[in-house]
Amino acid sequence: MKWIESGILVLLTLASWWAPYLMRRDLLFGGTVPPEFRDTAEARRIIRLYQRRVLLVGIALINLQIFLWSMNVNMGLLWPIALLLFCLGSAVAYAKAHNSIRAHAIPASGIREAELLPRAQKGAESPPMLLTGPVILAAGVALAFLIPDSTGQVPLLAGWGAIMARWNTIDALVAKPFGFAVGACAGTLAGLVVFRFGTRRNPAGITNYRRVMLRNMVFFNVAFAAFGAWVVNMGAFGRVVDKIELRVAMAVILAGLAAHVAYILMLRRKENMSLVSVVGHSLGDRTPDESWRWGMLYYNPDDPALLVEKRTGPGYTVNFGNVLAWLMVAGFLILMVLPFVLR
């Protein structure tokens, strides 16, 4: 466990160090700059200074953690505090780099498109695709109650008593993995719905990250639904899901997540290469620089968008000027804290 905690800190440090190379060429540390500015000595100086600060924070916290281990100190709450300190230190380093970039920033070209994007009728952007995962999970659960029992009865057709008997059997054998699958399916579906309808006001750039991320989010929702359908039917057949089977299933899902991240990074690299040679393309993301607090947090009450593309790397962030964004963040925090309160 100790090495896992240190490994997470090392990965966070390396990811933060690499962050400038994940930003669009015309959006450096939250400021709109000419694409060619990235290749100047001043830009390289700002990037190196940011990287040194992040490395110092990461190395200091890792060394502090090792020192506490040597003193046999129980980490307990100290581990989350270390993560919080790293996030705070890297945020300060980013904010300082943002302040340096502001001297070289230019007004974003193009007009912010606040109108809704046209409704897509096919592919991952079509509303019916949101129901794919729940339909698969519901079909799997229904199938589990259509499997005949030892007397040849079909529980779904034999009455409430037979249905409860089948459910008790399933609950006794696969309660934990099935609960995890249902929770993961519901969580990814909630994120999918918010992302699907919260990003319809975003402007389209060179790369349509929205379509890519929607497609991959649908894939993960379907994967968790299929996993839940498989688990509940294992219980219906009277089988316990082995740890090895669970690990294989989770390894497949994690491999898919790694492939998703790698694909997004490849798209960003391709986009940055295009920005070097593209002529006449609107610079920036058509959101005003002054609406980005410290280059990281977007606050614009005049923008009706709930989610906008991040300036710290590929992905999306909330518009804190939208009341719905605060409700969404509050709901997420409640879901994070609730398990610890009810435990």
Side-chain angles (χ1 to χ4, degrees), residues 221-246:
N221 184 245
V222 168
F224 282 120
F227 177 62
W230 172 71
V231 167
V232 74
N233 279 277
M234 291 285 283
F237 278 109
R239 281 196 56 190
V240 177
V241 179
D242 297 329
K243 288 184 178 180
I244 295 178
E245 293 172 322
L246 281 174

Side-chain angles (χ1 to χ4, degrees), residues 227-300:
F227 177 62
W230 172 71
V231 167
V232 74
N233 279 277
M234 291 285 283
F237 278 109
R239 281 196 56 190
V240 177
V241 179
D242 297 329
K243 288 184 178 180
I244 295 178
E245 293 172 322
L246 281 174
R247 288 171 181 172
V248 170
M250 291 308 300
V252 171
I253 293 173
L254 288 175
L257 179 61
H260 163 69
V261 173
Y263 184 55
I264 292 292
L265 295 180
M266 182 191 70
L267 288 178
R268 174 48 55 91
R269 183 175 181 274
K270 183 178 179 181
E271 183 179 38
N272 280 339
M273 292 176 66
S274 300
L275 282 170
V276 175
S277 56
V278 168
V279 178
H281 181 267
S282 299
L283 297 179
D285 56 3
R286 290 178 281 183
T287 57
D289 284 2
E290 58 270 18
S291 295
W292 289 91
R293 303 294 190 262
W294 307 290
M296 294 177 286
L297 305 177
Y298 185 64
Y299 181 86
N300 188 355

Side-chain angles (χ1 to χ4, degrees), residues 60-296:
L61 289 173
I62 292 170
N63 286 331
L64 177 61
Q65 192 176 50
I66 294 173
F67 171 74
L68 292 175
W69 288 347
S70 66
M71 300 295 291
N72 294 321
V73 176
N74 184 11
M75 294 300 290
L77 291 175
L78 294 178
W79 162 239
I81 292 175
L83 285 180
L84 183 62
L85 287 175
F86 178 81
C87 293
L88 180 62
S90 58
V92 170
Y94 187 96
K96 285 183 172 293
H98 172 70
N99 288 335
S100 300
I101 286 293
R102 290 176 63 182
H104 309 278
I106 60 174
S109 57
I111 301 173
R112 171 67 175 167
E113 294 180 0
E115 68 269 13
L116 292 174
L117 298 176
R119 291 183 180 274
Q121 301 301 322
K122 59 181 180 179
E125 293 178 282
S126 61
M129 287 297 293
L130 301 177
L131 301 176
T132 305
V135 167
I136 291 174
L137 182 59
V141 172
L143 182 61
F145 288 89
L146 289 172
I147 298 171
D149 57 19
S150 57
T151 63
Q153 285 186 323
V154 177
L156 195 60
L157 305 177
W160 183 251
I163 291 175
M164 289 306 299
R166 173 59 56 84
W167 173 252
N168 289 334
T169 301
I170 293 172
D171 186 59
L173 294 173
V174 295
K176 288 185 177 180
F178 182 62
F180 166 77
V182 172
C185 184
T188 52
L189 178 64
L192 178 59
V193 170
V194 170
F195 185 79
R196 166 65 177 80
F197 295 101
T199 56
R200 286 192 58 225
R201 296 182 184 271
N202 280 345
I206 293 179
T207 302
N208 192 338
Y209 290 102
R210 179 177 185 268
R211 183 180 302 161
V212 173
M213 295 184 70
L214 274 173
R215 185 170 60 238
N216 290 334
M217 290 173 76
V218 168
F219 166 78
F220 283 112
N221 184 245
V222 168
F224 282 120
F227 177 62
W230 172 71
V231 167
V232 74
N233 279 277
M234 291 285 283
F237 278 109
R239 281 196 56 190
V240 177
V241 179
D242 297 329
K243 288 184 178 180
I244 295 178
E245 293 172 322
L246 281 174
R247 288 171 181 172
V248 170
M250 291 308 300
V252 171
I253 293 173
L254 288 175
L257 179 61
H260 163 69
V261 173
Y263 184 55
I264 292 292
L265 295 180
M266 182 191 70
L267 288 178
R268 174 48 55 91
R269 183 175 181 274
K270 183 178 179 181
E271 183 179 38
N272 280 339
M273 292 176 66
S274 300
L275 282 170
V276 175
S277 56
V278 168
V279 178
H281 181 267
S282 299
L283 297 179
D285 56 3
R286 290 178 281 183
T287 57
D289 284 2
E290 58 270 18
S291 295
W292 289 91
R293 303 294 190 262
W294 307 290
M296 294 177 286

